[in-house]
Amino acid sequence: ELAAAQTGSAAASRRFLFRARPPPSCVSAGRRRKRQQTGRAVTRQQQRPRRGPDTASLMSSSPLSKKRRLSESETKTGSNCSSGKSVQTDLREAPANGMAKNGSEADIDEGLYSRQLYVLGHEAMKRMQNANILVSGLRGLGVEIAKNIILGGVKSVTVHDQGVAEWSDLSSQFYLHEEDLGKNRAEVSQPRLAELNSYVPVTAYTGPLSKDFLGSFQVVVLTNCPLEEQLRISDFCHSQDIKLVVADTKGLFGQLFCDFGDEMIVTDTNGEQPLSAMVSMITKGCPGEVTCLDEARHGFESGDFVSFTEVEGMTELNSSEPMEIKVLGPYTFSIGDTSSFSDYVRGGIVTQVKMPKKISFKSLRCSLQEPEFILTDFGKFDRPAQLHLGFQALHEFHKKHGHFPKPRNQADAAEVLALTKELNEQAPPLLKQEQLNEDVIKELAFQATGDLAPVNAFVGGLAAQEVMKACSGKFMPVTQWLYFDALECLPEENKDALLTEENCSPKHCRYDGQIAVFGSDLQAKLGQQKYFLVGAGAIGCELLKNFAMIGLGCGQGGEIVVTDMDTIEKSNLNRQFLFRPWDVTKMKSDTAAAAVKEMNPHINIVSHQDRVGPDTERVYDDDFFENLDGVANALDNVDARMYMDRRCVYYRKPLLESGTLGTKGNIQVVIPFLTESYSSSQDPPEKSIPICTLKNFPNAIEHTLQWARDEFEGLFKQPAENVNQYITDAKFMERTQKLPGTQPLEVLEAVYKSLVTDRPKTWADCIAWACNHWHTQYCNNIRQLLHNFPPNQKTNSGTLFWSGPKRCPHPLTFDIDNPLHMDYVVAAANLFAQTYGIVGTRDRAAIAELLRQVQVPEFTPKSGVRIHISDQELQNANASVDDSRLEELKSSLPSPQQLQDFRMFPVDFEKDDDTNFHMDFIVAASNLRAENYDIPPADRHKSKLIAGKIIPAIATTTAAVVGLVCLELYKVIQGHRQLESYKNGFLNLALPFFAFSEPVACPKNKYYNTEWTLWDRFEVQGIQPDGQEMTLREFLAYFKKEHKLEITMLSQGVSMLYSFFMQPAKLKERHDQPMTEIVTRVSKKKIGRHVKALVFELCCNDDSGDDTEVPYVRYTIR
């Protein structure tokens, strides 16, 4: 399903580094293998049901008819702006939920920024909301940076440019249209940028960058700027502690420089959640040694700082300052001097503490001579220093001639090379290169006028993230130079013949910036492509923007088909930049298609609202796929990814795959007959929380939140669904009795409660139910648990039962004046009422009055109640069903005929609607249970992340990842066949870290002397020359004769069609039946008219009788 994939666990980060998946269904299970994963990543999340639009989102995001002129205090970014022209448009009035301007006094709109808040945190966001940003240069790179910063939510953005729109700008500047040629780039772009985020005032400025003007900004970004101007502005900014980012792109080359002052404080260098572990022992000594429980490795590194809580005995640690540690082993580490502390008794939690880090930056002038480089590709170790000189040589050329070198002009390239050699001779010893890579320098000169949307997306995403780091102190900045190139995108063969000066010269069209790099022939080929984009969310929006800019499917015969069955929600607007507040509730695919049509009217795009899967194979059938040139995935769940991967393997279509999680991102390219597929490897299963931990022994807020989610499903969804099935489905009882273990009894008990004992008649009954359930869960069950296992009970080994991971609970006493207790009752009563169609209320005073009338039954703990202390004990327990109780329930239930007019209303969990009581219940239920066990509670924001399994997301990562995807697209369309030309990539913008590796080649298998891979298959024509279809006997004989293979088993999907151990009578019956008839009979499904071929899987013996692996069969029937 295209709906959001969900995870909030630490394991998600790990899955970015090592990723593996099961093979496509058309490949036999015996072919699975494990392999080392290098530089590969993906988000692998559980799928959740599609969300519909919620009323809260609609109310808070709907545009108002009135507009307002922002006051001077909101928009002013400098006290002396009179030297140039300044333009600002009206922004839409703040919606009713209080969308105020950004600034120190502003609250953060969690509805809009929720996914980004999980990346940056509230403190970093608040610091960003106090930052005024200048972005100078509004060509493709500048507008990309501005877009990402505005979406991020800074205080204000001023866009500056003194140039006018030209044809070459349109290849990547997505807010310039053909009718804007000759107009100032900043003035034209400003109103379109302003629509991105109504919290962020956007101003256009067209005057010179004077010191007075620059002085009012916290961060200055320079793009498309001469080196002399960069140096002048850098000197001023460095002296005034104004942070500076310089970014530039030339064709397939990119450059990024950061100067954040003499002393910058980084509060969090990596953005990861602090680690914590439970302590089992601390020694007295110098240093003291800490041993953690051996349930899991502590994960700390030497040099980390930690703090302690809940230590008994050695209580001095609980109040000590953060202590630096030295790791001794996976479960042990040493701390400072503990010799004078009290003796350790038991318990304790140790938690990693993020310590501020000071970083000092050189000015641009100093750093030019003494550069520090961040590597983007370890395979190009010497490239940054070469490009550092080459970019300076380009500036020298421009200073001398007033223009950059012409595309593929040999004389200009030779002059740039000569200038680079001069600079190298004059360079200080550390920078001086023994030998220049002349081919790279000449290529830089050839591409100097190139302007590519994917490169701008990648560098623009990085640059915008650096701006956010500069504003917030969150994450490690680039220190200080970053260079990037993607020369693998150029033709693999005959480059000089294909890329001539004439072929790459300007054509006075919107693709001139791209033609300068790749020539006009590839441009024509791009226009003819037919591509299928699956998903129109964050990655989908960025892909569509890039497709429109590069001209994919924009020519005769070309087409983009995009499908997404989801609607736009308010939380999407922070990163799915094609959508606006007034688009909320509209279909994503339709809205995105219309938006990119505005960017490039020539794009041929069709939008669908279909989910990809077996249900839609009548739409996305053989004809559809066979007509495609390729597929791009923009999905957020593994099942849909794997389904599309299987389809691409079957139809032999290239697949572009990508994913993001916060500041992490990955790309994978799948090429027929060359690389492995997305599904060629598997992740280890994600660690789940043991049932007994959830039920009786939680020790972390994650446990209580999962328990609360299970409560939600077990109270407000599953019983209502079961009741409705009981009433409407005649076979419900029969199916229920066939369930394993104690499930039949549990299901029928729940149905009986819902229909008889707990069924409310009034709103007051719902209040009483909520109150009684509160007492059951937070008082009575805890008292029973403590009756079974008293606080001081010891195990057979003499240790306390309530020790280590087992936290001793205490019962709660209901207090009508306790807000948390009331939160629970209000939410639980309203949700319970909803399931019965009873109208509730939020009136807490009225609810309190009804609560005072509730009589709560006395509870006395019982002896003989069995409580399992481990999942193993639970599994070993007698799971037999009490048949007498089962029969009693069946006879006590009202008959379905008596309930024909009665229905319940199951509640589907929806985390993003703050009016529906769902998160109210989860937060209250979880925090009450946390109070039972003395676990620190979680606020609503953190609870939503964990319980809602939200994927943290930020626009910068999405832009950068999609830029890399589209660079691979250039290679796919040119038909690159060398494995080393392609790049799978992984990045983490927080560190920053980049890793690229060539894709893994598709593994080769062999039967007899025939080699085959997952892309190969047997092609069998089912219809014979005489028009008759092949029978099973003929099918078996065909393989024996043509391939010397004896088929021992034959299946289609989950249906076994033939096996050597099949009963003789059944075998005799099937032998002379046509293959399609056997498939229809065994599967009990008709073969759709849209199906041209069937997929069969085989187990075979060779002529020596040994089992041998073989490809699948494509059996053509039409």
Side-chain angles (χ1 to χ4, degrees):
E1 202 177 307
L2 299 183
Q6 309 297 315
T7 184
S9 65
S13 298
R14 172 174 47 74
R15 288 199 301 273
F16 260 81
L17 296 174
F18 300 98
R19 136 190 173 300
R21 313 167 198 86
S25 62
C26 56
V27 182
S28 68
R31 241 169 275 159
R32 300 179 185 181
R33 65 190 181 84
K34 293 183 179 179
R35 62 161 180 78
Q36 186 69 29
Q37 304 290 321
T38 308
R40 297 185 47 174
V42 79
T43 51
R44 285 199 161 288
Q45 291 84 12
Q46 299 170 346
Q47 191 172 324
R48 68 159 172 77
R50 178 171 77 92
R51 295 194 301 265
D54 56 78
T55 53
S57 294
L58 301 188
M59 289 170 62
S60 60
S61 300
S62 56
L64 304 182
S65 57
K66 293 193 295 182
K67 295 185 178 182
R68 66 187 175 106
R69 171 74 66 178
L70 291 175
S71 66
E72 189 174 316
S73 63
E74 291 173 64
T75 62
K76 188 176 179 184
T77 55
S79 56
N80 296 285
C81 302
S82 57
S83 55
K85 185 178 176 185
S86 188
V87 179
Q88 179 168 339
T89 59
D90 293 333
L91 299 180
R92 292 183 172 255
E93 182 169 298
N97 70 335
M99 287 182 79
K101 67 181 184 294
N102 284 348
S104 58
E105 79 289 351
D107 289 328
I108 297 169
D109 182 352
E110 292 191 3
L112 176 67
Y113 292 119
S114 65
R115 281 25 174 200
Q116 180 175 296
L117 276 166
Y118 293 122
V119 182
L120 298 176
H122 283 78
E123 288 306 311
M125 277 288 297
K126 285 175 182 174
R127 287 192 286 270
M128 278 173 51
Q129 288 185 340
N130 288 313
N132 298 308
I133 315 295
L134 171 68
V135 179
S136 177
L138 257 286
R139 300 192 73 213
L141 178 59
V143 80
E144 181 68 42
I145 296 169
K147 178 257 291 182
N148 293 328
I149 296 169
I150 293 165
L151 289 172
V154 295
K155 185 176 184 180
S156 74
V157 172
T158 299
V159 291
H160 166 259
D161 203 315
Q162 294 182 298
V164 297
E166 301 170 356
W167 277 115
S168 59
D169 296 325
L170 300 186
S171 61
S172 69
Q173 219 288 22
F174 44 86
Y175 285 147
L176 291 180
H177 304 155
E178 291 184 22
E179 58 268 26
D180 299 323
L181 295 174
K183 298 176 185 176
N184 180 274
R185 288 185 286 248
E187 290 179 350
V188 171
S189 303
Q190 179 268 333
R192 293 158 190 168
L193 285 165
E195 288 183 346
L196 288 168
N197 190 342
S198 59
Y199 286 120
V200 181
V202 181
T203 306
Y205 175 69
T206 60
L209 297 179
S210 65
K211 291 182 179 180
D212 286 341
F213 180 72
L214 292 168
S216 56
F217 297 100
Q218 281 70 52
V219 185
V220 172
V221 182
L222 300 179
T223 71
N224 194 34
C225 183
L227 183 57
E228 283 187 348
E229 181 76 346
Q230 291 178 20
L231 290 166
R232 177 186 73 81
I233 292 171
S234 167
D235 291 342
F236 172 75
C237 289
H238 194 83
S239 68
Q240 299 298 309
D241 200 26
I242 297 170
K243 296 173 173 65
L244 176 71
V245 175
V246 179
D248 208 354
T249 60
K250 303 292 180 192
L252 291 164
F253 296 88
Q255 176 194 54
L256 183 62
F257 169 78
C258 297
D259 171 13
F260 296 162
D262 290 325
E263 188 177 281
M264 181 195 180
I265 306 297
V266 177
T267 57
D268 181 355
T269 57
N270 61 16
E272 301 297 330
Q273 287 296 312
L275 300 169
S276 67
M278 284 186 246
V279 176
S280 64
M281 184 61 197
I282 306 173
T283 64
K284 290 175 72 170
C286 185
E289 291 188 7
V290 179
T291 303
C292 299
L293 289 177
D294 58 5
E295 286 194 327
R297 295 165 181 256
H298 55 62
F300 299 132
E301 296 178 3
S302 294
D304 282 351
F305 283 77
V306 299
S307 63
F308 291 85
T309 55
E310 300 184 26
V311 175
E312 294 183 38
M314 198 179 283
T315 55
E316 296 90 342
L317 285 174
N318 294 333
S319 55
S320 67
E321 293 293 311
M323 310 173 79
E324 188 173 358
I325 67 167
K326 180 181 179 182
V327 171
L328 303 175
Y331 308 101
T332 56
F333 58 87
S334 64
I335 52 178
D337 188 353
T338 60
S339 54
S340 62
F341 290 177
S342 308
D343 289 339
Y344 174 80
V345 177
R346 65 172 170 263
I349 296 172
V350 58
T351 305
Q352 185 184 33
V353 178
K354 298 284 183 86
M355 302 297 287
K357 184 172 183 177
K358 292 181 181 178
I359 304 172
S360 180
F361 291 80
K362 301 170 188 169
S363 68
L364 176 62
R365 197 175 297 275
C366 294
S367 192
L368 271 174
Q369 299 302 308
E370 302 170 356
E372 288 181 68
F373 300 115
I374 292 278
L375 270 179
T376 56
D377 190 337
F378 293 100
K380 301 174 180 179
F381 192 80
D382 63 337
R383 196 66 56 84
Q386 303 266 345
L387 294 178
H388 189 68
L389 295 167
F391 268 85
Q392 291 179 63
L394 283 183
H395 284 291
E396 287 291 325
F397 184 98
H398 190 277
K399 181 180 175 182
K400 181 177 177 182
H401 298 283
H403 62 81
F404 284 110
K406 294 185 284 294
R408 295 288 151 186
N409 184 284
Q410 295 293 337
D412 287 357
E415 185 174 343
V416 170
L417 180 59
L419 289 168
T420 308
K421 288 178 177 176
E422 286 179 31
L423 287 167
N424 191 41
E425 288 300 317
Q426 299 160 13
L430 285 175
L431 179 58
K432 191 170 184 177
Q433 301 297 296
E434 287 185 19
Q435 188 173 356
L436 286 173
N437 188 327
E438 295 190 4
D439 289 340
V440 169
I441 300 299
K442 287 175 72 175
E443 201 58 61
L444 177 63
F446 288 152
Q447 299 183 28
T449 59
D451 191 24
L452 300 176
V455 178
N456 288 335
F458 176 70
V459 176
L462 269 57
Q465 189 67 62
E466 294 308 304
V467 172
M468 294 183 187
K469 293 175 186 178
C471 301
S472 66
K474 181 94 172 182
F475 308 140
M476 197 70 181
V478 166
T479 51
Q480 286 186 256
W481 292 94
L482 180 147
Y483 286 96
F484 171 79
D485 76 79
L487 293 182
E488 302 82 13
C489 294
L490 294 174
E492 287 180 325
E493 297 173 350
N494 304 320
K495 182 176 69 176
D496 293 334
L498 293 168
L499 303 180
T500 62
E501 186 172 357
E502 181 183 354
N503 200 12
C504 297
S505 62
K507 307 294 187 283
H508 301 293
C509 74
R510 66 175 301 122
Y511 308 114
D512 276 356
Q514 187 165 264
I515 289 170
V517 178
F518 293 112
S520 53
D521 292 345
L522 179 60
Q523 192 59 57
K525 196 171 183 180
L526 281 163
Q528 296 161 3
Q529 295 293 299
K530 294 181 177 69
Y531 258 74
F532 185 29
L533 172 60
V534 191
I539 288 175
C541 283
E542 289 287 340
L543 280 167
L544 283 174
K545 176 252 291 180
N546 279 275
F547 289 173
M549 291 297 97
I550 69 176
L552 189 77
C554 296
Q556 189 172 0
E559 185 179 66
I560 308 293
V561 176
V562 57
T563 189
D564 195 314
M565 28 61 87
D566 221 348
T567 55
I568 299 163
E569 299 176 359
K570 182 181 176 183
S571 62
N572 301 149
L573 305 179
N574 173 239
R575 63 203 181 281
Q576 299 176 21
F577 85 107
L578 297 180
F579 308 142
R580 302 291 175 265
W582 48 91
D583 294 323
V584 168
T585 75
K586 294 178 183 176
M587 298 305 300
K588 286 185 176 181
S589 56
D590 292 344
T591 309
V596 292
K597 193 81 174 172
E598 283 276 307
M599 292 177 176
N600 184 350
H602 305 292
I603 192 168
N604 303 309
I605 185 164
V606 177
S607 57
H608 293 177
Q609 293 80 43
D610 301 305
R611 175 186 307 169
V612 291
D615 294 344
T616 54
E617 286 181 6
R618 290 179 181 277
V619 179
Y620 307 116
D621 56 11
D622 291 350
D623 289 337
F624 176 83
F625 271 96
E626 286 165 4
N627 201 35
L628 292 176
D629 292 298
V631 176
N633 272 353
L635 290 159
D636 45 19
N637 70 86
V638 176
D639 289 343
R641 280 182 166 118
M642 294 181 71
Y643 173 79
M644 286 308 301
D645 180 64
R646 291 195 295 271
R647 298 295 272 173
C648 288
V649 169
Y650 178 72
Y651 292 107
R652 296 167 169 174
K653 300 297 177 183
L655 172 66
L656 298 168
E657 172 59 57
S658 57
T660 70
L661 186 143
T663 58
K664 304 180 184 79
N666 78 284
I667 64 154
Q668 180 184 1
V669 58
V670 178
I671 306 297
F673 302 102
L674 189 64
T675 73
E676 67 171 13
S677 77
Y678 172 87
S679 304
S680 291
S681 45
Q682 293 180 342
D683 277 344
E686 188 171 349
K687 192 175 180 181
S688 59
I689 304 169
I691 295 170
C692 289
T693 300
L694 288 175
K695 287 184 73 172
N696 299 309
F697 309 114
N699 57 58
I701 199 67
E702 288 81 5
H703 301 161
T704 65
L705 281 163
Q706 183 58 55
W707 178 87
R709 277 290 282 114
D710 292 346
E711 272 275 281
F712 186 100
E713 298 293 314
L715 293 174
F716 311 124
K717 185 180 181 185
Q718 290 163 0
E721 288 178 341
N722 287 336
V723 164
N724 290 345
Q725 286 181 35
Y726 170 70
I727 296 169
T728 60
D729 186 350
K731 294 189 175 180
F732 171 77
M733 195 65 76
E734 181 186 331
R735 280 204 322 273
T736 300
Q737 288 181 272
K738 290 180 180 177
L739 291 172
T742 58
Q743 287 184 47
L745 193 58
E746 290 167 3
V747 169
L748 290 186
E749 287 276 16
V751 171
Y752 182 76
K753 275 187 174 184
S754 298
L755 288 175
V756 183
T757 55
D758 289 351
R759 182 174 172 179
K761 295 182 176 63
T762 64
W763 168 236
D765 292 342
C766 299
I767 298 285
W769 174 87
C771 182
N772 283 313
H773 196 72
W774 188 101
H775 282 85
T776 299
Q777 296 294 40
Y778 305 112
C779 180
N780 302 349
N781 287 352
I782 301 298
R783 287 171 63 193
Q784 181 67 55
L785 183 62
L786 291 173
H787 177 78
N788 283 40
F789 306 108
N792 294 318
Q793 179 170 319
K794 292 188 176 180
T795 64
N796 293 336
S797 62
T799 59
L800 281 170
F801 177 83
W802 294 107
S803 62
K806 291 187 177 70
R807 301 174 72 91
C808 186
H810 64 273
L812 305 183
T813 303
F814 187 77
D815 180 359
I816 207 164
D817 295 319
N818 186 316
L820 185 60
H821 297 194
M822 280 297 288
D823 286 348
Y824 180 91
V825 171
V826 171
N830 273 281
L831 288 166
F832 189 65
Q834 284 175 30
T835 63
Y836 288 93
I838 296 171
V839 178
T841 179
R842 288 182 177 275
D843 187 338
R844 293 170 83 96
I847 292 171
E849 190 58 39
L850 288 169
L851 272 172
R852 291 187 179 94
Q853 301 168 26
V854 176
Q855 296 295 316
V856 178
E858 283 292 322
F859 174 79
T860 304
K862 300 179 181 67
S863 297
V865 175
R866 182 76 186 273
I867 296 176
H868 302 292
I869 62 172
S870 72
D871 283 11
Q872 188 63 48
E873 187 180 303
L874 182 66
Q875 288 171 9
N876 295 339
N878 185 5
S880 63
V881 177
D882 183 346
D883 290 331
S884 61
R885 175 58 182 160
L886 202 60
E887 289 305 315
E888 182 187 342
L889 283 170
K890 286 165 64 178
S891 61
S892 304
L893 281 169
S895 70
Q897 290 74 25
Q898 295 173 270
L899 299 164
Q900 282 309 301
D901 297 329
F902 176 75
R903 291 292 182 278
M904 290 187 70
F905 304 93
V907 180
D908 289 315
F909 180 66
E910 169 48 64
K911 63 189 175 298
D912 285 320
D913 179 354
D914 288 336
T915 68
N916 64 8
F917 298 105
H918 298 194
M919 280 309 302
D920 298 344
F921 176 82
I922 296 295
V923 173
S926 170
N927 284 342
L928 284 166
R929 189 162 175 82
E931 189 178 338
N932 278 139
Y933 287 86
D934 295 309
I935 296 167
D939 62 16
R940 189 183 186 92
H941 182 67
K942 182 177 180 181
S943 298
K944 187 188 285 191
L945 172 73
I946 298 169
K949 298 181 179 178
I950 288 175
I951 302 293
I954 191 166
T956 48
T957 310
T958 308
V961 162
V962 170
L964 295 175
V965 170
C966 291
L967 289 173
E968 297 307 302
L969 177 63
Y970 284 136
K971 304 170 189 176
V972 171
I973 291 170
Q974 291 176 84
H976 283 18
R977 293 307 303 165
Q978 295 173 19
L979 198 64
E980 58 270 22
S981 295
Y982 292 98
K983 298 281 186 183
N984 286 350
F986 170 78
L987 56 82
N988 186 342
L989 299 187
L991 300 177
F993 173 80
F994 309 89
F996 294 97
S997 63
E998 66 183 50
V1000 175
C1002 48
K1004 292 181 179 178
N1005 300 282
K1006 204 171 186 178
Y1007 69 92
Y1008 296 126
N1009 293 319
T1010 303
E1011 278 193 344
W1012 61 275
T1013 71
L1014 64 98
W1015 299 99
D1016 294 299
R1017 62 193 178 210
F1018 294 114
E1019 294 282 359
V1020 178
Q1021 290 295 326
I1023 306 301
Q1024 304 293 292
D1026 60 2
Q1028 297 298 307
E1029 192 194 342
M1030 190 179 279
T1031 62
L1032 175 59
R1033 188 191 304 277
E1034 289 167 340
F1035 185 88
L1036 299 174
Y1038 169 84
F1039 272 86
K1040 188 74 174 172
K1041 179 183 177 184
E1042 296 295 326
H1043 302 289
K1044 298 181 182 176
L1045 293 169
E1046 181 187 354
I1047 296 176
T1048 55
M1049 283 191 285
L1050 170 66
S1051 63
Q1052 191 262 335
V1054 295
S1055 302
M1056 180 65 73
L1057 308 181
Y1058 163 79
S1059 66
F1060 67 91
F1061 51 79
M1062 193 173 276
Q1063 292 176 358
K1066 186 181 287 187
L1067 185 59
K1068 184 178 180 182
E1069 178 189 349
R1070 290 188 185 176
H1071 252 146
D1072 296 313
Q1073 289 177 348
M1075 295 297 289
T1076 53
E1077 186 179 325
I1078 298 172
V1079 168
T1080 304
R1081 286 190 177 185
V1082 176
S1083 68
K1084 298 178 182 176
K1085 294 177 184 175
K1086 290 183 179 180
I1087 299 169
R1089 292 187 178 182
H1090 62 284
V1091 177
K1092 287 185 176 179
L1094 299 173
V1095 171
F1096 295 146
E1097 294 188 32
L1098 311 175
C1099 288
C1100 294
N1101 289 341
D1102 58 19
D1103 51 15
S1104 60
D1106 294 329
D1107 181 46
T1108 185
E1109 286 194 34
V1110 294
Y1112 69 96
V1113 177
R1114 183 174 185 266
Y1115 180 80
T1116 305
I1117 57 176
R1118 289 187 179 90

